[in-house]
Amino acid sequence: MILPIVAYGDPVLRKKAAPITQDYSKLDELIANMFETMYGASGVGLAAPQIGKAIRIFVVDATPFADDEDLSEEEQAQLKTFKKAFINPEIIEETGDEWAFSEGCLSIPGINEDVFRCPNIKIKYQDQDFKEHVEEFDGLLARVIQHEYDHIEGILFTDKLSSLKKRIIKSKLAGISKGKTNADYRMRFPDKKGR
């Protein structure tokens, strides 16, 4: 089932999400719905706060990036098959020289800005069977994971922008929270009149 995506300004996007346990009700259904919602919005990642749930889960499917000819064959191959749910993740380490990449967010439609992030991460997480993993990722995959991880920490990509950039997009962000956007997917707006 495709769920509405929570728009900028909703308090759930600013909460540090809570861990979940193996007995979380209808977890498989939730994860399936998150993937379906993400695909319906043409996204590559979606965190639970973006569907109104302040829990530590996010999903990533990086296959749309696999055709990017600017990437190495190795990175293209890795992205081509990367589809994963991360439960109770914890980034253990971020290393390397930060690099800029234009990021967007399903909760902040129509705004894309360069964000600087470290190229390498080590992350501990549980899979859908609650088996624990510690893995290292780099490049574009690390960036997508960092972006979604920020969501469960109550951080948005716009928080990482310079004060000048924040001032420039301030009115656009206010408009998004009121429903002034052309997103072609279902959204829930915190400040929309008559909601």
Side-chain angles (χ1 to χ4, degrees):
M1 172 173 48
I2 294 179
L3 305 168
I5 294 175
V6 173
Y8 178 88
D10 193 302
V12 74
L13 295 175
R14 294 302 188 176
K15 289 182 181 168
K16 185 167 180 167
I20 63 165
T21 59
Q22 203 163 351
D23 59 355
Y24 188 87
S25 180
K26 300 182 180 179
L27 179 61
D28 289 339
E29 182 181 331
L30 172 66
I31 291 171
N33 289 343
M34 287 177 68
F35 273 113
E36 189 176 352
T37 300
M38 179 186 74
Y39 295 140
S42 301
V44 293
L46 185 73
Q50 292 180 277
I51 56 163
K53 298 192 176 295
I55 55 175
R56 296 185 75 77
I57 299 177
F58 62 82
V59 297
V60 172
D61 185 342
T63 55
F65 288 127
D67 297 328
D68 187 336
E69 294 174 3
D70 291 336
L71 301 174
S72 69
E73 285 184 25
E74 181 184 336
E75 194 168 12
Q76 285 178 328
Q78 183 185 30
L79 295 169
K80 191 176 287 186
T81 59
F82 194 88
K83 178 182 174 183
K84 204 174 277 218
F86 291 79
I87 299 172
N88 299 325
E90 177 189 349
I91 290 183
I92 299 167
E93 188 175 68
E94 295 174 293
T95 59
D97 295 331
E98 289 188 347
W99 61 291
F101 186 82
S102 181
E103 292 189 21
C105 179
L106 297 177
S107 292
I108 311 174
I111 295 180
N112 292 73
E113 294 289 343
D114 280 350
V115 176
F116 286 84
R117 296 189 188 271
C118 293
N120 309 302
I121 62 166
K122 181 187 275 190
I123 188 168
K124 178 171 71 171
Y125 69 96
Q126 294 166 318
D127 62 23
Q128 242 171 296
D129 298 318
F130 278 80
K131 182 179 175 202
E132 190 169 288
H133 301 266
V134 175
E135 294 186 70
E136 294 183 22
F137 299 102
D138 60 15
L140 203 47
L141 198 46
R143 177 171 293 274
V144 174
I145 292 167
Q146 288 166 314
H147 178 106
E148 298 310 324
Y149 183 83
D150 279 352
H151 274 298
I152 63 172
E153 292 290 310
I155 299 167
L156 300 174
F157 85 91
T158 52
D159 298 337
K160 297 182 175 291
L161 303 178
S162 70
S163 55
L164 174 62
K165 287 277 190 187
K166 287 178 188 175
R167 282 197 304 274
I168 291 170
I169 65 170
K170 185 177 181 178
S171 64
K172 284 184 183 177
L173 293 174
I176 290 169
S177 72
K178 294 175 183 164
K180 296 177 183 171
T181 180
N182 293 326
D184 60 356
Y185 46 88
R186 282 179 57 210
M187 293 193 76
R188 188 179 88 201
F189 303 99
D191 297 331
K192 188 172 183 180
K193 299 212 184 303
R195 68 176 193 131

